[in-house]
Amino acid sequence: MTAVLYGYWRSGAAYRLRIALNLKGVVYQTSGIDLRTGAQRSPAFLALNPQGMVPALEIDGLVLTQSPAIMEWLEETRPNPPLLPATPQDRAQVRAMAALIGCDIHPLNNLRVLGAIRSRFGADQAAVDDWAGNWIGAGFTALEALVARDGAGWCFGDSPSLADAYLIPQLYSARRFNVALEAFPHLLAVERKALEHEAFARAHPDRQPDAEG
């Protein structure tokens, strides 16, 4: 049975999972959940994911949620090609890069948080951009140093890893918030390489069935 990915075309978490699925060669179909209309709170979707968040993945008779958990599950059940290095210390470094984005940057610029900033504190778009840019810039400054130290074409070493699957969607988001990226040449070099890779290119938001025209 073909896997089904429930996501939103512009969701960073769904974007990173699409990259991982593509890198692993998993065949899947997409089911768009429009976060702007509240489709994530529909009874049908809440039956799949009681948290009401994307992505969710139906695969192998399971319903999996939370992109970090799903990506680790993919690594365990479909180990080739590997998205984590061979040694425990190197795996820890890749996981740290991924967590830097997934824990310390992305949650602070997702739709729920930005909606709260707008509704509860009256933030306009300039204030929202400033908020998001502050956390993106701080995280990217640290990540730039890590990639400069450990990267060899990709975030870590010379092959794609979980860290790259996290980075590329966050660079996409950074541009949406008008974040200046010139200070991060190593991250931009990884992005150029990634966008030439079919697994990353097919995952791009603009190529999703539910993308805006």
Side-chain angles (χ1 to χ4, degrees):
M1 182 177 177
T2 301
V4 180
L5 173 61
Y6 297 86
Y8 175 59
W9 65 283
R10 210 163 58 183
S11 160
Y15 188 176
R16 73 173 69 124
L17 182 53
R18 291 194 299 266
I19 292 170
L21 289 166
N22 293 344
L23 286 168
K24 291 292 188 181
V26 176
V27 177
Y28 64 95
Q29 61 186 33
T30 59
S31 179
I33 305 296
D34 194 335
L35 304 182
R36 298 165 303 178
T37 65
Q40 70 274 23
R41 296 187 293 274
S42 70
F45 187 67
L46 288 173
L48 287 172
N49 182 6
Q51 194 178 14
M53 297 177 66
V54 297
L57 182 68
E58 281 191 298
I59 188 170
D60 295 353
L62 305 169
V63 178
L64 304 175
T65 62
Q66 287 290 346
S67 60
I70 300 172
M71 292 162 77
E72 290 277 358
W73 179 87
L74 286 171
E75 185 71 0
E76 292 178 4
T77 61
R78 292 158 173 81
N80 292 308
L83 300 183
L84 287 169
T87 68
Q89 58 268 31
D90 288 350
R91 290 197 295 273
Q93 293 299 325
V94 168
R95 287 184 171 113
M97 290 180 177
L100 189 159
I101 296 169
C103 298
D104 297 332
I105 300 178
H106 175 253
L108 292 165
N109 62 67
N110 70 19
L111 186 63
R112 292 191 309 162
V113 169
L114 300 184
I117 292 171
R118 290 186 176 100
S119 64
R120 296 181 63 181
F121 303 107
D124 61 11
Q125 189 59 49
V128 166
D129 288 355
D130 181 68
W131 165 270
N134 176 68
W135 304 112
I136 292 171
F140 276 4
T141 297
L143 188 60
E144 174 74 11
L146 294 174
V147 174
R149 184 189 70 189
D150 294 326
W154 296 92
C155 282
F156 189 96
D158 60 1
S159 61
S161 71
L162 291 182
D164 304 287
Y166 277 77
L167 172 63
I168 300 309
Q170 194 58 66
L171 284 166
Y172 173 85
S173 292
R175 291 188 175 90
R176 288 182 54 220
F177 299 117
N178 300 303
V179 177
L181 298 173
E182 293 81 3
F184 313 114
H186 289 89
L187 305 188
L188 294 176
V190 171
E191 182 185 44
R192 288 192 295 271
K193 189 174 185 69
L195 294 180
E196 294 176 354
H197 192 298
E198 181 61 18
F200 288 83
R202 283 194 292 117
H204 194 279
D206 291 349
R207 294 183 62 174
Q208 305 317 303
D210 58 331
E212 292 178 347

